[in-house]
Amino acid sequence: MAWYGARTFYRWPSPESRPYEERVVLFRARSLDEAVELAEREADEYAAEDGFEVLDMVQVYRISDGDEEVGAGTEVFSRLHALDVPPDEFLDRYDSGPAHTRADE
């Protein structure tokens, strides 16, 4: 069983700003298709807890074949962007304003 990172997207029901959320969650699966299924199921469960809307996109990234250790410093998601724009313009596309973060301790 390989390790996969799955990126999922949500819209919060907050009436004032309705922020979007993206998450990357780890899964062990036998195939890419199984990892997508696990991610979709987990996304539905996560969203149901707080009334979030699940957006229709799942991006899955194979992390390891399962025999490598996954821990601190392990790349869990990567995506290449084929855009012919200067670095500042690229970053501006992803800087959507103040970020909402949540830390459970």
Side-chain angles (χ1 to χ4, degrees):
M1 301 237 316
W3 282 102
Y4 293 86
R7 183 178 180 210
T8 51
F9 303 84
Y10 309 85
R11 183 88 188 254
W12 286 27
S14 171
E16 55 280 347
S17 64
R18 295 209 41 178
Y20 291 95
E21 177 181 4
E22 35 182 314
R23 298 171 67 227
V24 176
V25 180
L26 298 177
F27 294 98
R28 291 200 74 175
R30 290 176 186 79
S31 68
L32 182 72
D33 288 340
E34 182 182 15
V36 170
E37 289 176 25
L38 292 170
E40 289 174 338
R41 188 176 321 137
E42 192 279 338
D44 288 340
E45 291 170 6
Y46 174 76
E49 289 177 18
D50 293 306
F52 299 161
E53 173 187 356
V54 180
L55 304 184
D56 191 23
M57 182 177 3
V58 176
Q59 297 176 330
V60 174
Y61 176 75
R62 187 180 185 133
I63 297 168
S64 76
D65 291 328
D67 53 352
E68 299 107 30
E69 183 176 324
V70 173
T74 300
E75 181 177 271
V76 297
F77 196 84
S78 177
R79 181 173 178 214
L80 297 176
H81 300 266
L83 300 171
D84 187 19
V85 298
D88 287 345
E89 186 178 330
F90 172 78
L91 292 176
D92 285 346
R93 291 177 184 221
Y94 294 94
D95 182 8
S96 59
H100 300 268
T101 59
R102 181 175 125 194
D104 295 327
E105 296 183 7

